[in-house]
Amino acid sequence: MMPWNNFLCATLLAFLPAVSHGQTLSRSSEPIRLDSRNPHYFFFHGKTIALITSGEHYGAVLNADFDYRKYLDTLQSDGLNYTRLFPGSYVEVPEKSFGIRRNDLAPAEGRFNAPWTRSSTPGYAGGGNKFDLDRWNAEYFARLHDFLSEAAKRGIVVEISLFSSQYGEMQWALSPFNPANNVNGRSAIDRKLINTLESGNILAHQERYTRKLVREVSAFDNVIFELQNEPFADRPVLDGVVNLYLFPPARNQFPNTIETADDESIAWQAHVAQWIASEEESLPNKHLVAQNYCDFGLPVSTLIQGVSIVNFHYAYPEAASANYGLGKLLAYDETGFLGRDDAAYRRQAWNFMLSGGGAFDGLDYSFSVGHEDGSDTEPNGPGGGSAAFRRQLGILSKFMRSLPLKDLAPDAHAVKYSNGAYARVLSNPGKEYAIYLDGNEPADVTLDLPPGSYSGEWTNPESGQTTAVPNFKHSGGEMLLRTPAIRDGIALRLVRVTP
């Protein structure tokens, strides 16, 4: 996996004091941040950007068999700039968890590369000796540093999701925090208490782990922290339903329920955010923090102090539009459960991003060990992912890069009506318009534009083929524009050239 000389250098770095290590490497640009002119997008390496990807199932570092260089090369070649990473506090069961047959987040026996060293005591449920949560694994941190460095070379931003819900006893049985899997002296505990302030001495180990990771990655400008993945899975509060008209019991079951995390979870997550902030007080770089709020989308009611990014899973466009006024970056952080068809996820991406979203992260099951180029085409989990889909997301990424994002906001007025298609619009009124029409038939679009001369271009989101809109002069007010043929949506960029 890692050439020996690179591994040796990275390992030596891991033993240097964390602060001086960060100070040495942080002479590059400042870490990715929200754009001060438009905090619904990122500012990175001197540019206002959105983050778009379809990435592996989060085990690129903890799974020792995963070739992350090949994986990162694939993202870069497809024009994508983002990936998520679970750093080791949660791990899944091979061939069993969530029906994923070839799961990056479920290393083979003996191949779990955790942040903690193994003790001399046998008995880890996943094979090998138990963990010692008081001792760090230098090999793990060398691999983490190298992964982040390789991502940075390719312009890829990494969201590190520090913790996750455990979901069930099967996953909890493999957790290093499970007292049965470590030598650090704790009696059995309900897994649903782990990510609360009632976790006993596990809480202190969680704090040490958080602070250690914050120090270790301080030097990297391409890192975002997420407090916890899907906290509402273990500590749910039923906050709403997608379809009120379903009959019980389906009305109150996933995937119709919209759940948020309970007060105990929020209190614990607030502590994690404080650990990050206090640790970074003495470090040269400050990194963005994300909170995973809910599935599907709700107006946010409880935002943890220090959070700059609000993450939604399986998000509807309304997750972006309903929360735009928060002035935070809104992210569609995980897709799934819509089968393997590219079109469903492609439409989700365009609808969300053209509603004011700043990040889209597809969960791509075509990445697996031995297929780090995303070429695993056999059924593999409750979602999609393919080379074709990544190319299609590259088309969206290119479209977003062509826009003056710092000047754009959702626009409910530029499209008065579009027969047979839903319209999502970003604009700098009177200057530039980005429009996505989600439909399957040619549509007559009624626009409301100020007077002037306009140029434009249609983009096919599936193929990337573009069709010029003949330049036209408009006297102001309503006008009709007919689309080309549509299949699962079409995009339009319209620029007012002269008044």
Side-chain angles (χ1 to χ4, degrees):
M1 293 290 296
M2 184 185 296
W4 175 248
N5 57 337
N6 289 350
F7 172 79
L8 181 60
C9 290
T11 303
L12 290 173
L13 281 173
F15 285 101
L16 294 176
V19 173
S20 63
H21 169 58
Q23 290 170 339
T24 301
L25 295 179
S26 63
R27 294 172 184 168
S28 59
S29 64
E30 65 176 321
I32 186 170
R33 59 177 173 83
L34 301 192
D35 192 297
S36 60
R37 299 159 297 182
N38 189 345
H40 300 95
Y41 299 103
F42 296 99
F43 189 80
F44 189 46
H45 293 174
K47 297 179 180 179
T48 307
I49 66 166
L51 296 179
I52 297 174
T53 199
S54 184
E56 61 91 21
H57 190 212
Y58 319 142
V61 171
L62 65 82
N63 190 329
D65 289 326
F66 191 80
D67 184 347
Y68 54 75
R69 288 190 183 85
K70 182 184 289 186
Y71 164 66
L72 295 169
D73 282 343
T74 303
L75 293 187
Q76 182 185 32
S77 67
D78 288 328
L80 307 178
N81 61 356
Y82 189 34
T83 191
R84 293 184 80 201
L85 185 73
F86 282 17
S89 66
Y90 168 81
V91 67
E92 293 186 343
V93 183
E95 300 181 15
K96 293 183 179 180
S97 294
F98 302 103
I100 306 171
R101 303 175 191 179
R102 297 170 299 283
N103 187 351
D104 301 346
L105 199 53
E109 185 172 339
R111 304 303 288 164
F112 178 21
N113 183 35
W116 306 276
T117 60
R118 301 287 185 132
S119 70
S120 58
T121 304
Y124 171 55
N129 291 351
K130 295 184 179 184
F131 293 98
D132 183 344
L133 301 183
D134 288 328
R135 297 169 57 215
W136 301 115
N137 178 5
E139 182 179 352
Y140 168 87
F141 288 102
R143 184 173 167 92
L144 175 64
H145 293 160
D146 192 61
F147 175 82
L148 295 175
S149 295
E150 294 295 327
K153 290 176 187 177
R154 295 162 176 82
I156 294 172
V157 174
V158 180
E159 179 188 80
I160 298 177
S161 191
L162 293 167
F163 297 93
S164 177
S165 287
Q166 296 293 326
Y167 300 100
E169 295 302 321
M170 183 169 57
Q171 282 81 231
W172 175 232
L174 290 181
S175 172
F177 286 135
N178 188 322
N181 291 325
N182 63 64
V183 295
N184 302 96
R186 165 78 207 204
S187 58
I189 184 173
D190 184 339
R191 64 176 173 82
K192 293 186 178 181
L193 292 176
I194 296 307
N195 295 333
T196 74
L197 299 178
E198 304 303 317
S199 61
N201 74 337
I202 294 173
L203 185 67
H205 289 298
Q206 290 172 328
E207 180 174 357
R208 289 185 67 244
Y209 159 83
T210 299
R211 292 180 180 275
K212 173 67 171 176
L213 282 167
V214 169
R215 290 195 307 274
E216 290 290 336
V217 309
S218 175
F220 294 95
D221 64 6
N222 61 327
V223 166
I224 293 165
F225 293 115
E226 182 183 55
L227 301 173
Q228 182 185 347
N229 176 70
E230 298 186 348
F232 39 84
D234 281 358
R235 311 281 315 179
V237 173
L238 181 60
D239 232 332
V241 296
V242 176
N243 183 354
L244 285 167
Y245 296 99
L246 283 181
F247 292 109
R251 183 169 57 203
N252 295 320
Q253 295 176 350
F254 183 86
N256 196 54
T257 52
I258 307 177
E259 297 169 332
T260 55
D262 68 7
D263 290 342
E264 289 78 7
S265 170
I266 294 295
W268 176 84
Q269 289 182 72
H271 271 68
V272 179
Q274 291 167 6
W275 297 337
I276 296 170
S278 65
E279 193 64 29
E280 288 196 327
E281 283 181 0
S282 62
L283 297 174
N285 290 323
K286 309 295 183 286
H287 294 85
L288 294 173
V289 174
Q291 177 183 347
N292 190 183
Y293 190 75
C294 68
D295 290 342
F296 309 121
L298 286 171
V300 171
S301 62
T302 306
L303 200 61
I304 293 167
Q305 185 175 358
V307 163
S308 298
I309 302 166
V310 186
N311 287 343
F312 299 91
H313 289 187
Y314 326 123
Y316 288 95
E318 289 74 19
S321 56
N323 292 295
Y324 195 82
L326 282 175
K328 305 291 185 181
L329 190 132
L330 307 167
Y332 188 145
D333 204 43
E334 181 180 290
T335 62
F337 298 100
L338 290 179
R340 301 177 65 199
D341 181 29
D342 295 337
Y345 303 108
R346 182 179 69 244
R347 291 169 63 193
Q348 286 184 335
W350 279 89
N351 276 303
F352 187 83
M353 297 303 291
L354 272 291
S355 295
F360 179 87
D361 183 7
L363 179 49
D364 194 326
Y365 292 100
S366 70
F367 289 111
S368 61
V369 170
H371 297 276
E372 291 88 348
D373 58 354
S375 60
D376 190 341
T377 58
E378 297 300 315
N380 186 30
S386 68
F389 178 60
R390 290 189 298 275
R391 286 193 295 272
Q392 292 160 19
L393 284 186
I395 294 165
L396 171 58
S397 183
K398 181 179 178 181
F399 184 87
M400 297 297 291
R401 290 196 304 271
S402 74
L403 303 173
L405 293 178
K406 68 181 185 300
D407 300 320
L408 299 186
D411 184 341
H413 305 289
V415 175
K416 300 282 288 186
Y417 182 70
S418 54
N419 65 316
Y422 290 98
R424 315 286 179 187
V425 185
L426 298 173
S427 82
N428 179 7
K431 294 184 179 179
E432 184 143 0
Y433 301 84
I435 302 170
Y436 176 65
L437 300 166
D438 189 2
N440 281 299
E441 298 289 342
D444 292 318
V445 184
T446 302
L447 301 170
D448 189 355
L449 302 173
S453 297
Y454 289 83
S455 66
E457 184 177 72
W458 298 103
T459 296
N460 182 315
E462 181 178 9
S463 68
Q465 180 179 352
T466 59
T467 305
V469 175
N471 292 355
F472 62 89
K473 289 185 179 181
H474 179 50
S475 59
E478 294 186 8
M479 65 162 290
L480 198 65
L481 189 65
R482 187 165 179 78
T483 73
I486 299 178
R487 189 181 76 169
D488 297 322
I490 195 166
L492 172 65
R493 183 183 180 193
L494 198 61
V495 179
R496 186 180 181 217
V497 180
T498 59

